[in-house]
Amino acid sequence: MQAARCPTDDLSLTNCAVVSEKDLQSGQHVTVKTTPTHKFVFTTKTHHAIVPGTIAFSLPQRKWAGLSIGQEVEVANYNFDKSQQCIGAMTIEIDFLQKKSTDTSPYDSDKMASEFIQQFNNQGFSVTQQMVFSFCDKLFGLVIKDIEAMDASILKGEPASGKKQKIDIGLLVGNSQVVFEKAESSSLTLVGKAKTKEQRQSIINPDWNFERMGIGGLDKEFSDIFRRAFASRVFPPDIVEQMGCKHVKGILLFGPPGCGKTLMARQIGKMLNSREPKIVNGPEILNKFVGESEANIRKLFADAEEEQKRLGANSGLHIIIFDELDAICKQRGTGQGSTGVHDTVVNQLLSKIDGVEQLNNILVIGMTNRPDLIDDALMRPGRFEVKMEIGLPDEKGRVQILNIHTNKMRDFGLLAPDVDVKELAAGTKNYSGAELEGLVRAAQSTAMNRHIKATATVEVDTERAEKLQVTRSDFMGSLNNDIKPAFGSNQEDYASYIMNGIIKWGDPVTRVLDDGELLVQQTKNSDRTPLVAVLLEGSPHSGKTALAAQISESSEFPFIKICSPDKMIGFSENSKCLAIKKIFEDAYKSQLSCVVVDDIERLLDYVPIGPRFSNMVLQALLVLLKKTPPKGRKLLIIGTTSRKEVLQEMEMLDAFSTTIHVPNISTGEHLVEALEVRTHTHTQKQTTSRMQSGSVAISTPPPHHRSAAEQSTTSVIQ
């Protein structure tokens, strides 16, 4: 017979070879032999327009069989062996027939399979066969990828044997199973069960290791981020699709500086099998030209948009990391200038992360020290949905961080055996990760400095340098002198208040210290009172500030701060409020904190003439004294005042949990007790200094050697 072109488009969609009814009948199966070694099986359909002696093929059929118009072919009957050649399952690769007709609408593979079986029932199919299929008014190009024969046991009405046999040619029957597989690089979106489970590369790198990546103390944070942001990406897409689950698109990391936000974001990119993360600093987005800042945002998302259009659900994960997010995402409407650049940048970012044309293949990680500055619209679910505080590491975390930074020294024998990482971790409360790294660097510098010759030229003693070791004393020296935590207790602050010690001249002083110790224990141990505020009141110079400093020091809280009026001289009301607010905000970042609010009436600028005071500072203090710290944090506030009646009038006493009176020395017995304690302490110091200098004689110094305080003491006793 002679090969011809298919007369109509409708006949092309039947996947049949069209013949004259004078030659063959509809539904017959024939082999078409194009060369001595090439045979192809077709099912026939008759049409009156076909000239006898010719057989018409559609373009996909001619392409598959390598036929040309007018070519002579040998046609013979073909009979299927229904016991072995019925199709049990057939896998078909599908794509849009024409690229211009592509769209992103999802197509139901179950309905597609049902319609395919109805249209092509009782037709013969071969592996590699090409054909056209019409579904939902769209034309699709199909290629038969794989055919499995139906189990012979099922045909006989017996239970399935479970044997699977691949065949090259098969007959499609009503209970055949058809599975669609999206062509590579196709933008077609298939839903439903009648589609193949795509091969997915694991999103998590198999060789991932926290410590090797230089991350310590963030195990819980990583666990929470993984649960919220990556669990849905690890699951097979079919199950995620059936649940109607959308992936998390944004993570906001916030917390004190130096706690590992940037490091964590950088390592998330390494942890995942994804595209190379795009890391952008917030200020880099801004541009002096109109519209360029928004264009910079669009460029960041351009690759993800293009890949999603091309690959759909198969698109890889694109990670965009914003450092200093608060620089570009401030609250809209708060800008001072008239340009409104920040507002339009925020608008552009909002529309890209979760706008009308939403992307499902992006993960945006933002980092900031100031989450309060960021626009509220960015914080809702669907945008920066996972908000994770990267706080100060606990003791276990500090051990991990110190191990990471000392591992190399340990491997090369440069760390002395007397260095105990657990001891260092216990002594570095409220140190951030960056401060712990600085501590290790400072200890290394101290150790190296021992091997530098201090001659006219700076030289290294190479012989001794080979025996270099960083010892415990190097770490302790750096701990005491070089590196101080930003959110720790600065000893210099309160040391000056108790430089002469506390003289326990009687029960009143002991009672104040005991009450203070009880309040410290209540703050530490009680879960019901995370905030304890106590007011020490008494006449001027009765020792309120010294007692407050002593109570705070003996509490051994990792964060101790003194809010003192001497550090706010010349401050405006607004500046003073902000300074006090910052002290309290820093306190909330530590698990246990103590804030001493010293000389409250001076902070309030109170004077009796008038009377006058700063209402703005008063209102700020009233709010902060009553504000409960965040969950898991505990705060002890110790206030001191010499004007209790004034605070009573200002309704400030109600803000304190309790008030403790600090009395002055009022009896002769107490005065003698105070002087005896003071004289005994002085005598002990004199004895110690003389014994250290080699002299064992103990004598009272002559009057002209005594201090003014001691001379006045003697006169009082006399």
Side-chain angles (χ1 to χ4, degrees), residues 647-710:
L647 299 193
Q648 177 76 56
E649 286 180 29
M650 293 177 180
E651 298 181 351
M652 201 180 208
L653 289 185
D654 297 336
F656 290 93
S657 315
T658 184
T659 304
I660 299 174
H661 178 65
V662 180
N664 264 337
I665 294 176
S666 55
T667 66
E669 292 85 354
H670 287 161
L671 177 61
V672 171
E673 179 73 22
L675 293 170
E676 282 180 355
V677 171
R678 185 71 185 150
T679 310
H680 178 66
T681 306
H682 179 78
T683 308
Q684 276 187 328
K685 286 181 181 175
Q686 291 285 340
T687 304
T688 306
S689 62
R690 286 172 182 276
M691 288 179 74
Q692 285 173 348
S693 62
S695 171
V696 293
I698 301 171
S699 62
T700 306
H704 63 274
H705 284 159
R706 296 179 193 169
S707 66
E710 288 168 329

Side-chain angles (χ1 to χ4, degrees), residues 252 322-330 349 366-368 374 384:
L252 182 70
F322 283 97
D323 205 358
E324 305 302 336
L325 185 69
D326 52 285
I328 57 167
C329 292
K330 289 187 174 71
L349 194 57
M367 290 165 288
T368 180
I374 294 174
F384 286 105

Side-chain angles (χ1 to χ4, degrees), residues 360-418:
N360 207 28
N361 61 342
I362 56 165
L363 179 65
V364 183
I365 303 174
M367 290 165 288
T368 180
N369 301 327
R370 299 290 306 276
D372 52 302
L373 295 181
I374 294 174
D375 193 87
D376 293 338
L378 274 167
M379 309 293 274
R380 72 154 176 79
R383 289 169 184 155
F384 286 105
E385 185 169 340
V386 179
K387 292 174 273 295
M388 186 64 57
E389 182 176 5
I390 309 299
L392 297 166
D394 57 9
E395 192 166 326
K396 182 184 170 189
R398 294 196 294 274
V399 169
Q400 288 180 357
I401 294 166
L402 287 166
N403 275 328
I404 286 165
H405 292 303
T406 56
N407 260 343
K408 212 162 192 178
M409 290 192 288
R410 195 176 288 109
D411 291 344
F412 288 97
L414 298 175
L415 196 68
D418 63 346

Side-chain angles (χ1 to χ4, degrees), residues 578-625:
L578 290 173
I580 296 169
K581 181 171 177 265
K582 186 177 186 311
I583 289 172
F584 277 84
E585 281 181 347
D586 288 351
Y588 298 147
K589 289 170 184 169
S590 172
Q591 301 226 331
L592 277 172
S593 308
C594 178
V595 174
V596 177
V597 185
D598 190 30
D599 218 354
I600 293 174
E601 63 274 11
R602 291 285 70 76
L603 276 174
L604 297 174
D605 301 328
Y606 171 80
V607 287
I609 304 165
R612 289 180 297 184
F613 63 93
S614 167
N615 187 50
M616 187 185 287
V617 178
L618 171 65
Q619 298 305 325
L621 274 174
L622 285 172
V623 170
L624 292 168
L625 288 170

Side-chain angles (χ1 to χ4, degrees), residues 86-105:
C86 284
I87 296 175
M90 182 163 68
T91 305
I92 303 172
E93 187 181 87
I94 183 168
D95 194 5
F96 292 107
L97 186 66
Q98 295 175 312
K99 295 298 177 190
K100 64 182 180 182
S101 66
T102 58
D103 65 18
T104 54
S105 305

